[in-house]
């Protein structure tokens, strides 16, 4: 369904047509063919068996499987084809102008950092090695801790949490340990957050057993100080808040928030998962926070989610170091070492020391930029975002609810409500149509207070030309929405997945995340 | 073949442009006509029906004669089965009710009706929530939640419902205000009941805010929280609504969906109390009041629960008012604050500010209240 004529990109036409490979590819378990193998191991030679046994019978009995694992049985070539086909059906950050994933901070991750992380000098390390043999990587972990202390103003970091939500869980655990030490943990069972903070700020403390009080924004998009005053009480354990929030609006009263919570004995945790707009500009310490975390896979450019394992760097003030998960990496002026002597530690939140490749990549990224470079990252990210904001608001039917006429920090949660009212075209339709032009857009804009929401975050990576390209794509889709809405509503026309029933995603009876669960649920 | 009923209230919406607040009643209709009002409902219905043209041969459209459906159905190229009879140009509320009953007997799968709150009430009064309905918004007053966002959306939602792509239903409020009082400047809204409508999230505000399963789980979690926190020495006044009803269902108690019920030690003291009876029971005793805002409007007091008068509220005390709502319900307000119109300005001012709303077993939100 390519448009006739003029579809090639040039100086005048910035809209690029795209057609994705579409394979009718089954789940790998459905391709399984009993007895098929990727590698056929040769029979053990008699001489060797005489020397060392058959390799199985001298294993401890409790470690030998009684049944082989229920894995798909395929040849190497089948496996390779299967995953290549799947890879052709994705749109990654290296393939498209990936600014439609607001809050995710999909920035360019320089390939040199990947090279370092895949070097055999690094990949052949084992976490159980004696610390004297891994001084190099311990130095990197320790120095990244020093960098993040400088960036946040806090006093010590751990990299053990393997993502933002796990870091929030660790923060909730530290808050709990803190109140336990003063005998107040049972009474103080409430955590306060805000609706436009990251949803995990509410979700992870619930897992720890906390009750959540969530503050709705006022017309200006910000939580009111009076609303916080309504929420705090002697049951308050702490505050977990994102700033700037997911609207891209910075809460200028954040110091007042931390003051109010401290005054009633609460602890303040700062969700800096996405700190891309504030590096070198504001710090957790000056805003009055006791705890904070950064997602290294967002702001610090170690790739993200499915692009690579994540890391939630968790920082604390001096008072809270005693609760950090162990081991901490320390330096005694002659060597780096693991410190397990943290008697009040909340315990481990993950095995070993965290996702070390992500730590290495973030370290390399910071070293390549320097302190001035970090600030410049944020300045460009904010400039890019406000350029994009101006351009999006020139499009018919688009708006940026709250804080009208004001600049935003690193991202904006826009609304297509006006376009929807006039054409019936939804954000979801636009998302699907953008794919036809090779742009991936994310679909999560929780908590969906903004009608027909869509969240864009250009980061510092994209040039003006690429932002213009993105805007040209959006403009094209908006024009179609007004002139020929059906083409947008029935999109995507040139991509892999068509419209799906999103309701099913909320219904545990209708989804399965493992093959076994699928077999079980589909039988019913 | 799916059977679709169609009822057009041809006079709905006529009062709007000439500044009359609604068109209920023959006298006011005559007044509207005298002022030059023209029919708007049929044209708006066409916009909905046009969306269903692709299903023309896959559904059986059954409707009432002439301006009550036949004409617009023919205009859109349908070949409707026409039942019943009307006096052209003289249709009234009674015709809507009769059409409803007749269509109900035909075992239709979906009733599409074009009108406003008055029409929704007529549907509710004649067949209750026995069949699945969907409102095409063509009236002046549309406080009820049974209407699609606009006529095109109504057509689209009907289409995907008939195609089986939307299986979920939700109970939507039928609200109406007293037109006579409204014309004199007083707003007095009442909750009449609930009709079952297809629940298509793409067609309602607050896209993806909550799906039918999460909505149900949330209501049950909220109800369980209220029950687990119940104190033995306290009366509990349960206000109207589907969220509050879940509490009664979980306790296996009878209840009035639209009325106010009173509990003590998790037992029903009395159903459907008025202000006087409420005060008799709770005077001088410890009592808590459990209420939920009206969906889509956000009224806490003064709409649909006038039994909870200023005197009752004062007797209970501000700190003993427990507000419950699912996140979806709050998000559907699109950031507009809760409203209070208790009839007592001083009390309204006292209750304004911020309120904590229970939204789950371990979850609550702080939300703004204005009068």
């Amino acid at each position: 369904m390519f448009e006739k004529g003029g579809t090639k990109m040039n100086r005048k036409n910035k809209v690029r047509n795209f057609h994705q490979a579409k394979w009718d590819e089954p789940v790998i378990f459905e391709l399984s063919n009993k007895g098929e193998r990727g590698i056929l191991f040769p029979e053990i030679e008699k001489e060797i068996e005489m020397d060392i046994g058959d390799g199985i019978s001298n294993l401890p009995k409790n470690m030998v499987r009684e049944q082989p694992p229920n894995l798909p049985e395929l040849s190497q070539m089948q496996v390779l084809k299967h995953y290549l086909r799947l890879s052709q059906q994705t749109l990654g950050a290296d393939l498209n102008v990936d600014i439609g994933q607001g809050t995710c901070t999909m920035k360019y991750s320089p390939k040199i950092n990947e090279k370092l992380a895949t070097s055999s000098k690094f990949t052949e390390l084992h976490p159980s090695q004696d610390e004297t043999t891994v001084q190099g990587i311990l130095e990197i972990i320790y120095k990244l801790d020093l960098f993040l202390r400088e960036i946040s103003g806090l006093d010590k970091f751990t990299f053990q949490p393997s993502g933002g939500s796990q870091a929030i869980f660790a923060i909730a655990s530290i808050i709990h340990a803190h109140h336990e030490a003063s005998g107040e943990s049972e009474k103080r069972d409430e955590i306060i957050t805000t609706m436009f903070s990251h949803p995990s700020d509410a979700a992870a403390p619930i897992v720890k057993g906390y009750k959540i009080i969530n503050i709705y924004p006022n017309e200006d998009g910000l939580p009111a100080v009076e609303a916080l005053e309504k929420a705090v009480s002697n049951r308050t354990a702490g505050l977990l808040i994102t700033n700037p929030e997911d609207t891209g609006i910075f809460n200028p009263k954040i110091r007042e928030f931390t003051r109010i919570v401290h005054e009633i004995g609460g602890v303040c945790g700062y969700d800096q998962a996405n700190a891309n707009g504030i590096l070198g500009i504001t710090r957790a310490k000056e805003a009055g926070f006791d705890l904070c975390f950064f997602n290294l896979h967002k702001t610090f450019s170690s790739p993200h989610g499915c692009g690579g394992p994540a890391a939630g760097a968790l920082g604390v003030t001096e008072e809270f170091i005693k609760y950090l998960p162990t081991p901490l990496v320390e330096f005694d002026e002659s060597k780096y070492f693991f410190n397990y002597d943290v008697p009040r530690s909340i315990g481990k939140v993950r095995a070993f020391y965290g996702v070390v490749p992500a730590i290495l990549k973030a370290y390399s990224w910071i070293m390549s930029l320097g302190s001035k470079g970090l600030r410049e990252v944020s300045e460009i990210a904010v400039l890019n975002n406000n350029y994009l904001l101006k351009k999006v608001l020139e499009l018919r039917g688009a708006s940026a609810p709250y804080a009208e006429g004001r600049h935003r920090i690193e991202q904006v949660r826009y609304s297509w409500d006006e376009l929807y009212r006039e054409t019936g075209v939804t954000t979801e339709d636009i998302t699907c149509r953008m794919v036809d032009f090779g742009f991936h857009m994310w679909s999560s804009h929780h908590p969906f207070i903004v009608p027909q929401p869509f969240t864009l975050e250009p980061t510092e990576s994209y040039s003006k030309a690429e932002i213009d390209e993105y805007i040209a794509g959006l403009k094209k889709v908006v024009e179609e929405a007004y002139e020929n809405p059906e083409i947008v509503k029935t999109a995507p026309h040139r991509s892999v997945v068509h419209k799906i029933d999103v309701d099913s995603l909320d219904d545990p009876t209708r989804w399965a995340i493992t093959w076994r669960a699928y077999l079980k649920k589909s039988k019913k | 073949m799916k059977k679709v009923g169609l009822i057009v209230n041809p006079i709905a919406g006529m009062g709007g442009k000439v500044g009359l607040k609604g068109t209920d009643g023959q006298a006011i209709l005559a007044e509207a006509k005298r002022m030059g009002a023209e029919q708007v409902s049929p044209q708006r219905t066409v916009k909905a029906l046009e969306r269903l043209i692709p299903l023309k041969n896959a559904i059986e459209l059954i409707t009432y004669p002439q301006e009550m459906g036949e004409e617009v159905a023919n205009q859109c190229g349908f070949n409707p089965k026409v039942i019943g009879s009307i006096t052209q140009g003289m249709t009234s509320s009674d015709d809507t009710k009769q059409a409803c009953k007749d269509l109900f007997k035909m075992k239709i799968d979906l009733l599409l009706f074009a009108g406003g709150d008055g029409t929704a009430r007529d549907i509710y009064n004649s067949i209750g929530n026995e069949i699945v309905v969907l409102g095409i918004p063509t009236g002046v007053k549309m406080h009820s939640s049974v209407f699609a966002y606009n006529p095109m959306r109504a057509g689209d939602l009907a289409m995907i419902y008939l195609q089986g792509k939307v299986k979920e239903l939700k109970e939507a409020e039928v609200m109406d205000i007293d037109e006579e009082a409204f014309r004199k400047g007083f707003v007095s809204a009442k909750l009449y009941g609930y009709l079952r409508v297809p629940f298509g999230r793409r067609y309602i505000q607050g896209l993806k805010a909550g799906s039918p399963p999460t909505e149900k789980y949330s209501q049950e979690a909220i109800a369980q929280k209220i029950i687990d926190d119940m104190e033995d020495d306290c009366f509990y006044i349960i206000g109207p609504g589907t969220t509050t009803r879940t509490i009664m269902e979980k306790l296996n108690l009878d209840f009035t969906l639209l009325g106010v019920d009173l509990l003590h030690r998790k037992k029903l003291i009395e159903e459907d109390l008025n202000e006087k009876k409420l005060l008799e029971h709770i005077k001088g005793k410890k009592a808590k009041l459990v209420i939920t805002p009206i969906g889509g409007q956000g009224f806490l007091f003064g709409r649909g629960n006038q039994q909870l008068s200023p005197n009752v509220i004062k007797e209970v005390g501000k700190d003993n008012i427990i507000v419950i709502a699912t996140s979806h319900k709050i998000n559907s307000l699109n950031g507009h604050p809760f409203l209070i119109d208790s009839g007592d300005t001083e009390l309204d001012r006292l209750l304004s500010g911020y309120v904590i709303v229970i939204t789950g077993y371990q979850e609550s939100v702080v939300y703004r209240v204005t009068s």
Side-chain angles (χ1 to χ4, degrees):
Chain A
M1 214 171 151
F2 274 25
E3 289 82 28
K4 282 181 189 169
T7 54
K8 203 173 165 187
M9 270 188 79
N10 54 42
R11 281 188 180 180
K12 283 184 184 167
N13 178 31
K14 291 190 179 298
V15 182
R16 187 199 312 256
N17 272 320
F18 169 72
H19 203 305
Q20 193 154 28
K22 182 170 182 171
W23 297 93
D24 195 4
E25 192 66 11
V27 174
I28 196 163
F29 284 91
E30 293 173 281
L31 293 170
S32 180
N33 189 17
K34 200 164 176 53
E36 200 170 304
R37 287 289 179 273
I39 299 169
L40 289 174
F41 290 98
E43 291 276 315
I44 187 164
E45 288 168 34
K46 279 279 172 231
E47 283 172 29
I48 296 172
E49 192 174 0
M50 300 265 285
D51 274 358
I52 58 162
D54 62 3
I56 302 284
S57 50
N58 48 2
L59 287 173
K61 270 199 173 149
N62 61 347
M63 291 183 71
V64 180
R65 281 182 175 276
E66 288 172 6
Q67 296 289 330
N70 186 20
L71 294 173
E73 298 174 70
L74 280 88
S75 73
Q76 285 189 24
M77 207 178 171
Q78 297 304 325
V79 173
L80 179 68
K81 282 178 187 163
H82 174 71
Y83 285 107
L84 265 178
R85 286 171 189 151
L86 293 186
S87 76
Q88 290 183 341
Q89 303 191 113
T90 64
L91 263 180
D94 286 344
L95 196 61
N96 83 120
V97 181
D98 211 3
I99 64 183
Q101 296 209 72
T103 86
C104 266
T105 324
M106 298 303 288
K107 60 169 68 179
Y108 178 63
S109 294
K111 298 304 168 223
I112 181 75
N113 302 340
E114 298 295 325
K115 279 219 149 195
L116 289 172
T118 50
S119 148
S120 60
K121 286 182 188 170
F122 178 71
T123 56
E124 288 175 9
L125 297 178
H126 192 278
S128 293
Q129 265 175 263
D130 187 88
E131 60 197 29
T132 57
T133 65
V134 287
Q135 285 291 298
I137 192 66
L138 292 189
E139 181 180 349
I140 285 171
I141 294 173
Y142 185 77
K143 286 188 171 167
L144 184 62
D145 172 12
L146 296 183
F147 293 162
L148 294 184
R149 291 186 206 177
E150 194 62 34
I151 290 167
S152 65
L154 302 193
D155 299 319
K156 181 71 188 168
F157 273 78
T158 172
F159 303 105
Q160 203 174 70
S162 62
S165 298
Q166 206 171 34
I168 299 167
F169 179 78
I171 284 180
S173 302
I174 291 172
I175 292 175
H176 191 266
H178 170 80
H179 292 306
E180 204 164 39
S182 59
E184 288 195 312
S185 61
E186 275 189 36
K187 185 184 83 178
R188 292 188 182 271
D189 63 353
E190 292 176 354
I191 293 276
I192 299 167
T193 185
T194 64
M195 286 308 282
F196 281 133
S197 286
H198 297 141
S200 285
D201 291 329
I206 287 180
V207 178
K208 184 65 193 170
Y210 279 111
K211 296 172 188 164
I212 297 299
I213 302 182
N214 216 326
I215 301 174
Y216 264 77
N218 275 0
E219 283 89 347
D220 59 2
L222 291 168
V225 170
E226 298 77 33
L228 177 69
E229 284 167 342
K230 176 78 189 176
V232 295
S233 70
N234 58 8
R235 293 190 305 279
T236 303
L239 170 77
L240 261 166
I241 195 166
T242 309
N243 193 30
E245 295 192 301
D246 276 351
T247 47
I249 303 171
F250 190 86
N251 183 349
K253 294 185 176 163
I254 194 69
R255 266 209 77 97
E256 214 173 329
F257 270 60
T258 54
R259 179 185 60 76
I260 291 167
V261 172
H262 281 146
E263 274 177 11
I264 51 95
V267 178
C268 297
Y270 192 175
D271 178 338
Q272 297 199 280
N274 179 349
N276 215 43
I278 55 175
L279 290 175
I281 297 166
T282 69
R283 302 201 306 175
K285 181 186 182 179
E286 282 72 27
F289 285 96
D290 309 296
L291 315 159
C292 82
F293 77 93
F294 297 102
N295 280 1
L296 298 184
H297 51 284
K298 287 187 177 179
T299 309
F300 298 95
S301 177
S302 64
H304 196 279
C306 303
L314 164 60
V316 297
T317 57
E318 185 72 40
E319 186 188 354
F320 292 87
I321 293 175
K322 55 181 176 278
Y323 303 118
L324 283 174
T326 56
L328 299 173
V329 177
E330 310 277 17
F331 182 54
D332 66 3
E333 302 302 322
S334 67
K335 65 175 189 307
Y336 299 92
F337 64 99
F338 294 123
N339 175 13
Y340 287 91
D341 186 20
V342 187
R344 290 196 175 170
S345 166
I346 57 167
K348 282 184 177 294
V349 292
R350 190 183 200 278
F352 301 113
Y353 333 111
V355 180
V356 183
I359 296 170
L360 174 64
K361 288 181 217 175
Y363 173 81
S364 168
W365 188 76
I366 292 174
M367 285 297 280
S368 69
L369 285 161
S371 60
K372 284 184 185 165
L374 287 185
R375 188 183 167 105
E376 197 181 350
V377 159
S378 287
E379 287 170 349
I380 297 174
V382 174
L383 186 64
N384 272 355
N385 185 44
N386 284 286
Y387 175 71
L388 182 69
L389 171 66
K390 184 170 185 306
K391 287 290 173 188
V392 170
L393 292 184
E394 286 169 9
L395 299 176
R396 190 174 172 190
S399 63
Y402 308 114
E404 204 176 318
R406 275 171 49 196
H407 289 148
R408 306 292 174 102
I409 310 291
E410 85 296 6
Q411 66 181 46
V412 180
R413 181 152 297 159
Y414 299 89
S415 171
W416 286 119
D417 196 40
E418 191 185 320
L419 180 124
Y420 169 67
R421 286 164 190 255
E422 290 173 353
T423 65
V425 168
T426 63
T427 296
E428 198 180 331
D429 298 330
I430 294 173
T431 303
C432 290
R433 182 60 176 153
M434 284 293 275
V435 177
D436 288 340
F437 301 104
F439 297 109
H440 175 216
M441 275 176 83
W442 203 35
S443 60
S444 175
H445 316 277
H446 293 90
F448 287 89
I449 301 171
V450 172
Q452 300 300 334
F454 75 114
T455 316
L456 304 183
E457 181 186 7
T459 76
E460 76 284 2
S461 296
Y462 292 101
S463 66
K464 178 176 173 297
E466 282 174 306
I467 296 174
D468 286 342
E469 193 184 309
Y470 191 85
I471 284 292
L474 260 185
K475 187 165 182 269
K476 165 97 178 154
V477 176
V478 168
E479 283 166 2
E480 287 177 342
Y482 281 98
E483 287 159 16
N484 182 8
E486 281 312 307
I487 201 169
V488 187
K489 284 197 224 173
T490 50
H493 303 286
R494 309 189 294 245
S495 183
V496 184
V497 181
H498 213 77
K499 291 266 195 296
I500 56 163
D501 171 16
V502 286
D503 279 359
S504 62
L505 302 179
D506 284 345
D507 185 353
T509 62
R510 283 193 281 170
W511 49 248
I513 52 171
T514 63
W515 181 247
R516 187 189 292 182
Y518 168 75
L519 292 178
K520 203 170 153 189
K521 288 181 182 181
S522 58
K523 264 186 201 164
K524 283 182 184 173
Chain B
M1 189 178 267
K2 291 265 171 77
K3 291 182 182 176
V4 181
L6 172 69
I7 297 175
V8 178
N9 172 3
I11 59 169
M14 282 178 73
K17 283 192 181 164
V18 293
L20 294 170
K21 299 173 176 67
T23 331
D24 296 351
Q26 287 299 326
I28 207 73
L29 174 62
E31 174 73 3
K33 283 181 178 165
R34 194 187 59 74
M35 292 168 80
E38 290 172 6
Q39 285 192 354
V40 292
S41 191
Q43 297 99 292
R44 287 176 68 85
T45 309
V46 166
K47 288 187 177 164
L49 279 190
E50 279 173 351
R51 314 298 278 211
L52 285 177
I53 290 175
L55 289 186
K56 195 168 67 178
N57 299 319
I59 57 171
E60 183 182 7
L61 191 65
I62 311 170
T63 186
Y64 245 45
Q66 295 160 319
E67 68 256 41
M68 278 194 71
E70 181 184 7
E71 287 168 6
V72 288
N74 284 331
Q75 192 183 330
C76 294
F78 285 88
N79 187 17
K81 179 172 184 171
V82 181
I83 59 172
S85 63
I86 59 167
T87 310
Q88 197 175 7
M90 295 293 286
T91 59
S92 71
S93 161
D94 292 338
D95 294 296
T96 304
K97 290 177 191 160
Q98 190 56 49
C100 240
K101 286 176 193 156
D102 292 349
L103 286 168
F104 178 59
K105 285 182 205 148
M106 309 281 297
K107 293 192 166 50
I108 53 174
D109 297 286
L110 173 69
L111 173 62
L112 271 175
F113 72 93
D117 283 335
T119 321
R121 264 176 70 190
D122 290 339
I123 308 267
Y124 177 73
N125 287 337
S126 53
I127 51 168
N129 67 352
E130 291 291 318
I131 48 177
V132 180
V133 307
L134 179 61
I136 303 166
T138 69
V140 180
K141 301 163 292 151
M142 282 171 290
H143 299 93
S144 305
S145 315
V146 298
F147 296 103
Y149 196 77
N150 61 34
M152 284 101 76
R153 295 306 92 200
D156 289 344
L157 182 52
M159 169 98 141
I160 56 171
Y161 178 70
L162 292 166
Q163 289 172 329
K165 290 179 186 167
V166 168
K167 295 184 183 74
E168 320 288 354
L169 301 173
K170 73 163 182 172
E171 287 182 283
E173 287 99 340
V174 177
M175 302 281 300
D176 200 4
I177 56 170
D178 179 341
E179 282 191 9
E180 192 55 38
F182 189 32
R183 273 187 283 271
K184 289 176 181 161
F186 305 107
V187 180
S188 166
K190 200 174 162 197
L191 176 63
Y192 283 89
Y194 293 84
L195 285 169
R196 285 189 301 150
V197 299
F199 192 174
R201 286 195 289 180
R202 279 161 54 81
Y203 301 84
I204 57 169
Q205 281 293 303
L207 175 76
K208 287 191 204 164
S211 63
T214 53
E215 190 70 356
K216 184 170 154 281
Y217 299 143
S218 298
Q219 287 190 341
E220 289 186 358
I222 294 166
Q224 196 61 50
K225 171 72 179 166
I226 298 294
I227 292 166
D228 288 353
D229 286 355
M230 277 184 174
E231 299 162 25
D232 276 353
D233 62 342
C234 184
F235 283 90
Y236 286 85
I237 303 167
I238 311 292
T242 54
T243 318
T244 44
R245 175 183 65 187
T246 314
I247 300 170
M248 307 298 279
E249 283 173 344
K250 274 199 167 285
L251 289 171
N252 286 322
L253 299 174
D254 287 340
F255 56 87
T256 46
L257 184 55
L258 305 178
V260 171
D261 304 329
L262 187 68
L263 305 184
H264 188 250
R265 290 179 180 254
K266 297 177 186 165
K267 297 273 181 278
L268 186 66
I269 302 298
E270 197 173 340
E271 273 180 80
D272 203 8
L273 298 92
N274 57 25
E275 179 200 10
K276 189 162 166 275
K277 283 194 165 175
L278 272 172
L279 285 170
E280 280 169 16
H281 279 292
I282 64 166
K283 196 82 184 164
K285 301 191 181 115
K286 188 175 177 188
K288 294 193 180 192
L289 173 54
V290 184
I291 54 167
T292 187
I294 299 262
Q297 296 190 326
F299 271 99
L300 289 181
F301 291 111
R303 300 286 185 279
N305 59 4
Q306 281 88 340
Q307 308 91 316
L308 304 174
S309 66
N311 286 334
V312 173
I313 298 168
K314 284 178 195 164
E315 182 62 33
V316 170
K318 183 182 177 181
D319 292 342
N320 289 322
I321 298 171
I322 302 170
V323 183
I324 62 175
T326 61
S327 301
H328 170 230
K329 196 172 194 180
I330 298 176
N331 290 345
S332 71
L333 298 175
N334 283 332
H336 296 297
F338 288 154
L339 300 168
I340 293 187
D341 180 18
S342 72
D344 179 332
T345 316
E346 185 55 29
L347 180 65
D348 289 354
R349 200 185 54 75
L350 182 75
L351 295 175
S352 295
Y354 290 88
V355 66
I356 290 183
V357 189
I358 294 173
T359 54
Y361 194 81
Q362 298 282 56
E363 293 165 72
S364 54
V365 302
V366 181
Y367 205 75
R368 200 153 64 89
V369 183
T370 61
S371 54

